[in-house]
Amino acid sequence: MSEFDEIRSFYDHEVNGALESIARHPMMHALMQFTFPDCEEDFWLARFKNTQSISDFQHQCISQTVRQILIQSSEGLTTSGFDDLDKDTSYLFISNHRDIVLDTSLLNLVLLDKGLIMTSSAIGDNLVQKRFLHVLAKLNRNFLVQRGLSIREQLSSSKLMSEYIYSLLRSENRSVWIAQREGRTKDGNDATQQGVLKMLAMAAGSRPLAEFFKSLRIVPLSISYEYDPTDALKMPQVMAQSKNEVYIKDEDEDFKTMLSGVLGQKKRIHLHAGKILEEEFDDIASVTENKNKQLQAIAKMIDRSIIDNYKLWPTNYIAFDLLNGSNMYSQHYKEEEKQLFERRLEMRIDSSDADLKKSFLEMYANPVANKCG
């Protein structure tokens, strides 16, 4: 038994049995048909029998799934910044969050192809309530972020997760991915929640905060999709929040969102690995000893890196100009691209609803305002 059993991914010796338990599940059948469209069931069942570790599963199956997703629903993935990372060093990737499944899947494909250490990644346990998804997540080296807890339980859970992340980084030399905030960004404003940093700091013990964060080898990660395939699905929650209303999800809403994110058209995608944050923590420690102010400064530092390195697409500039009734960024897009975006907007939402249209445009326009404003 491990203190982390409630949240950890599978150990390698558990992988084969777990995989065999879902090998003939209808959803696994659909996933593998998508992954290996020219192969019969016997092909992937034989692969499963020879899969003895998470690394085997990622290399032989899931990496091929992600490549198929890119072929079927994108115009390609580009990257920058990863060549500055060391192949034998683990990092804590703190990332903006756009897509439930793809953000981490794309990162790990990049790490795999560049020979870097792949991540153990955080996922909300609310997203993997179905047994098949729960097993699949743990097979992909996901660990669980426990949701819906009481205040006392939240404190205990956060401490457990903090210690697990620190153990992965320092004891196992395993890279880790976490989002900069709870849940996906739905309005295009990428901002690090101080609560995420407070959770990480729980493993610091008596160490000075800046020194502890420096030891984590934080790499801010900027992920940008030219089209967000879940843009329209995010609107009901955005609209409810704008009216100060409580938003209640449909029972299968998260699952539908996951499918839409995977299968929907994304056009071009870019991932940028920011500069490893090191000396910056010394600067923060020299300015203030107040922990809250240090955490605020760390959050701003991560935000600045994510925003500065966020790849802006024509869709972002078009949305900004449409929102503001301007041609300020017209040099960044073609008229044909603008017409396609306007057509997409009219197909995805009721464009006669002024508030809805404004929120939809802001989702794409805010990265421009934050980076260039």
Side-chain angles (χ1 to χ4, degrees):
M1 290 287 288
S2 159
E3 62 183 309
F4 304 123
D5 280 351
E6 272 189 280
I7 64 170
R8 66 171 175 82
S9 57
F10 287 126
Y11 295 132
D12 282 344
H13 73 267
E14 299 170 323
V15 165
N16 190 262
L19 188 51
E20 286 294 314
S21 76
I22 59 169
R24 297 182 184 277
H25 192 285
M27 289 175 72
M28 180 61 89
H29 190 273
L31 182 66
M32 290 299 105
Q33 274 195 320
F34 175 83
T35 304
F36 303 110
D38 300 322
C39 299
E40 298 295 327
E41 184 179 34
D42 289 347
F43 171 80
W44 65 76
L45 288 177
R47 280 206 169 188
F48 291 169
K49 282 187 179 177
N50 292 320
T51 298
Q52 303 297 329
S53 67
I54 288 179
S55 180
D56 286 349
F57 185 60
Q58 290 182 317
H59 281 70
Q60 296 174 23
C61 297
I62 293 303
S63 63
Q64 302 309 313
T65 306
V66 181
R67 293 186 207 282
Q68 274 296 114
I69 291 168
L70 289 172
I71 291 167
Q72 299 287 340
S73 65
S74 83
E75 292 180 7
L77 169 67
T78 54
T79 65
S80 50
F82 288 91
D83 292 341
D84 294 329
L85 302 180
D86 181 77
K87 294 184 188 303
D88 299 315
T89 302
S90 60
Y91 299 99
L92 174 59
F93 293 93
I94 299 184
S95 165
N96 65 330
H97 193 18
R98 289 289 190 274
D99 187 90
I100 294 170
V101 174
L102 280 186
D103 291 354
T104 54
S105 299
L106 292 171
L107 170 62
N108 276 305
L109 183 66
V110 172
L111 297 177
L112 172 65
D113 287 348
K114 291 186 177 293
L116 295 160
I117 294 172
M118 295 169 72
T119 70
S120 187
S121 304
I123 189 169
D125 64 359
N126 58 303
L127 301 174
V128 290
Q129 293 295 312
K130 299 177 190 292
R131 182 180 177 276
F132 171 80
L133 295 176
H134 185 92
V135 173
L136 188 63
K138 292 176 71 172
L139 283 168
N140 275 292
R141 206 178 267 115
N142 289 121
F143 60 91
L144 301 180
V145 181
Q146 296 169 310
R147 306 284 195 212
L149 303 176
S150 68
I151 298 295
R152 179 179 291 181
E153 289 171 329
Q154 282 178 27
L155 190 64
S156 174
S157 176
S158 293
K159 191 170 191 308
L160 182 69
M161 185 161 61
S162 176
E163 289 170 351
Y164 183 59
I165 290 170
Y166 190 68
S167 171
L168 287 169
L169 290 165
R170 306 302 293 180
S171 300
E172 298 184 29
N173 197 35
R174 170 62 56 194
S175 289
V176 174
W177 176 95
I178 61 169
Q180 67 180 159
R181 47 162 290 149
E182 182 180 329
R184 292 165 299 138
T185 303
K186 298 178 180 69
D187 60 4
N189 286 315
D190 296 313
T192 303
Q193 288 177 341
Q194 210 168 312
V196 172
L197 301 180
K198 284 181 178 177
M199 177 276 294
L200 290 171
M202 285 181 167
S206 59
R207 293 174 69 182
L209 204 61
E211 179 188 312
F212 172 76
F213 272 94
K214 188 176 182 179
S215 76
L216 300 180
R217 295 186 291 269
I218 293 173
V219 176
L221 182 70
S222 306
I223 303 174
S224 61
Y225 300 84
E226 189 166 8
Y227 278 142
D228 181 345
T230 63
D231 48 15
L233 295 175
K234 291 176 179 176
M235 285 299 99
Q237 188 169 351
V238 171
M239 295 302 293
Q241 288 172 344
S242 71
K243 297 171 184 174
N244 291 317
E245 296 174 353
V246 175
Y247 179 75
I248 300 172
K249 290 182 181 180
D250 291 338
E251 186 179 345
D252 286 328
E253 184 171 329
D254 286 329
F255 182 64
K256 290 174 185 173
T257 299
M258 282 192 267
L259 281 181
S260 297
V262 167
L263 301 174
Q265 178 56 237
K266 292 159 273 290
K267 293 195 78 175
R268 292 171 290 182
I269 309 165
H270 188 80
L271 268 65
H272 178 89
K275 178 179 171 288
I276 305 158
L277 301 179
E278 293 177 306
E279 303 86 23
E280 294 86 347
F281 292 113
D282 297 331
D283 297 337
I284 288 170
S286 69
V287 171
T288 179
E289 293 183 2
N290 182 285
K291 287 188 177 182
N292 273 331
K293 288 184 178 178
Q294 287 186 353
L295 289 172
Q296 287 170 9
I298 293 168
K300 285 180 182 177
M301 183 169 63
I302 294 168
D303 291 349
R304 192 73 264 153
S305 177
I306 289 173
I307 290 167
D308 285 351
N309 294 307
Y310 185 95
K311 170 79 174 174
L312 294 172
W313 301 107
T315 49
N316 301 115
Y317 293 114
I318 292 164
F320 185 94
D321 279 352
L322 288 173
L323 186 65
N324 293 283
S326 73
N327 294 307
M328 186 183 299
Y329 292 107
S330 58
Q331 73 271 26
H332 291 289
Y333 56 84
K334 300 171 187 172
E335 184 60 30
E336 180 186 359
E337 290 173 319
K338 183 178 180 182
Q339 290 173 2
L340 282 171
F341 183 80
E342 289 180 304
R343 195 177 309 150
R344 176 184 174 86
L345 184 151
E346 291 185 0
M347 289 172 63
R348 306 281 287 179
I349 63 165
D350 177 7
S351 58
S352 66
D353 183 328
D355 289 337
L356 181 59
K357 183 177 180 181
K358 179 174 178 286
S359 292
F360 187 91
L361 290 173
E362 283 175 341
M363 182 190 303
Y364 285 95
N366 281 336
V368 178
N370 293 336
K371 184 170 183 175
C372 305

